[in-house]
Amino acid sequence: DDQSGVIDMKGNVVVPCQYDWIEGFTSNLSRVRKDGLMGIISIFGDVVLPVEHDHVGTFNDSLALVIDKGKCGYVDMTGQWAIPQRFSANALTVNMGDFHNGVARALTNGKLGLIDTHGERVFPPQYVDIGQMEQDIVPVKKKAKWGYATRAFTTVVDAKYDQAWEFHEGYGRVQVGGKFGLVDSTGKEVIAPQYTALSDVDHGLLFATSATGSGVLRPDGKVVLPLLYTKVTREDYDVLKVVHGDRFGYARISNGDFFWKEQSFDQSTPQ
């Protein structure tokens, strides 16, 4: 009858086949679903959170999101309410309401703010949208534009971008008018929006694309590999694979020099 249960390593039934879905155990707990409702059980089959909720999230910062009839709160790993269901929930809450780095998005009267793991306000509910907190800085959207604020609720970057992403290695990627750039934690625009595509900073590198092609930059704007190629990917700590039209080669990240090129690489045309 397609019901799920749990057996131990010896084949003994620990949880009878009574659930429609059992996620699998992490920290001796698992989410389960039965008849469209969710709950949490222990590795011994004990019900930690009754299977009567519209949605139960995974544990993050030792708290799990629980949604019922348009309201949400959080339970701890014993199934007790750490934060009562006093906040609103919409269609985005299921995927974006979990705790991350000690804060969670909280919806009140149609506006978003941030709360801490005690349910206390970190940001008041005044934003249209909020990204994830990284390095104590979070993207925030006011009206139609994005900026950045700190955990201390200090504005770092005014809301002037069409999109702003989470910080990586001390930098945040921004976009305005279809062009991408980079800001630092002081709000300085270290790379003005000018690229048609730009990656997040990864191990000190940015992969960028412009009208001339793709290449690699440092966060300070220094060119590692000119933007002249079809595609560039990182192969190893100090190795880039560079595709140029229908040819490819390998270059060193440390100096941008090629150490091997396929025949006719330099005569190929970017595609």
Side-chain angles (χ1 to χ4, degrees):
D1 56 1
D2 294 327
Q3 296 291 287
S4 296
V6 178
I7 60 173
D8 63 19
M9 295 289 289
K10 296 180 180 180
N12 299 315
V13 174
V14 179
V15 180
C17 292
Q18 57 183 315
Y19 297 108
D20 300 327
W21 172 76
I22 299 177
E23 180 178 35
F25 292 92
T26 301
S27 299
N28 293 331
L29 298 174
S30 174
R31 297 187 297 169
V32 296
R33 184 183 295 114
K34 184 176 177 63
D35 299 329
L37 298 176
M38 296 184 69
I40 299 172
I41 63 171
S42 77
I43 200 168
F44 304 108
D46 299 319
V47 175
V48 175
L49 182 70
V51 187
E52 59 187 26
H53 301 284
D54 294 341
H55 173 77
V56 177
T58 57
F59 280 98
N60 295 277
D61 294 332
S62 298
L63 296 177
L65 170 71
V66 182
I67 300 174
D68 289 301
K69 297 178 174 60
K71 291 290 184 181
C72 71
Y74 299 83
V75 296
D76 63 22
M77 298 184 78
T78 70
Q80 300 300 305
W81 288 102
I83 301 173
Q85 290 177 304
R86 63 174 183 265
F87 300 105
S88 301
N90 60 17
L92 297 177
T93 306
V94 169
N95 294 319
M96 302 186 70
D98 295 322
F99 270 88
H100 180 76
N101 286 335
V103 294
R105 299 170 12 134
L107 181 67
T108 304
N109 297 324
K111 295 289 186 179
L112 284 165
L114 290 177
I115 59 171
D116 63 20
T117 54
H118 302 291
E120 300 296 326
R121 294 280 188 187
V122 177
F123 287 6
Q126 64 178 41
Y127 297 105
V128 175
D129 202 355
I130 299 179
Q132 286 192 331
M133 179 82 73
E134 297 289 351
Q135 301 167 7
D136 285 343
I137 296 177
V138 61
V140 292
K141 185 178 183 181
K142 278 191 171 183
K143 295 183 178 179
K145 296 294 183 178
W146 286 84
Y148 290 94
T150 68
R151 186 185 290 266
F153 195 48
T154 302
T155 298
V156 176
V157 179
D158 291 331
K160 60 182 179 181
Y161 297 105
D162 296 335
Q163 183 66 56
W165 285 266
E166 287 74 21
F167 263 56
H168 294 265
E169 300 180 22
Y171 298 92
R173 187 164 49 106
V174 294
Q175 182 260 330
V176 63
K179 301 294 185 181
F180 294 84
L182 201 70
V183 298
D184 66 15
S185 58
T186 70
K188 180 183 177 182
E189 221 173 60
V190 291
I191 297 178
Q194 59 189 286
Y195 299 106
T196 55
L198 188 68
S199 70
D200 291 315
V201 180
D202 182 18
H203 292 86
L205 295 181
L206 288 158
F207 293 81
T209 301
S210 69
T212 60
S214 295
V216 181
L217 312 171
R218 297 288 185 186
D220 61 2
K222 180 182 177 181
V223 177
V224 175
L225 190 74
L227 278 67
L228 299 172
Y229 303 100
T230 304
K231 184 180 180 181
V232 183
T233 55
R234 189 171 198 155
E235 291 291 294
D236 204 347
Y237 177 77
D238 192 38
V239 178
L240 296 169
K241 181 179 180 181
V242 184
V243 178
H244 191 44
D246 60 354
R247 303 297 185 195
F248 72 94
Y250 294 100
R252 297 285 183 195
I253 293 172
S254 53
N255 56 21
D257 292 340
F258 283 87
F259 62 88
W260 183 86
K261 295 177 182 178
E262 196 174 8
Q263 187 176 8
S264 301
F265 177 90
D266 291 326
Q267 286 72 51
S268 188
T269 302
Q271 297 175 346

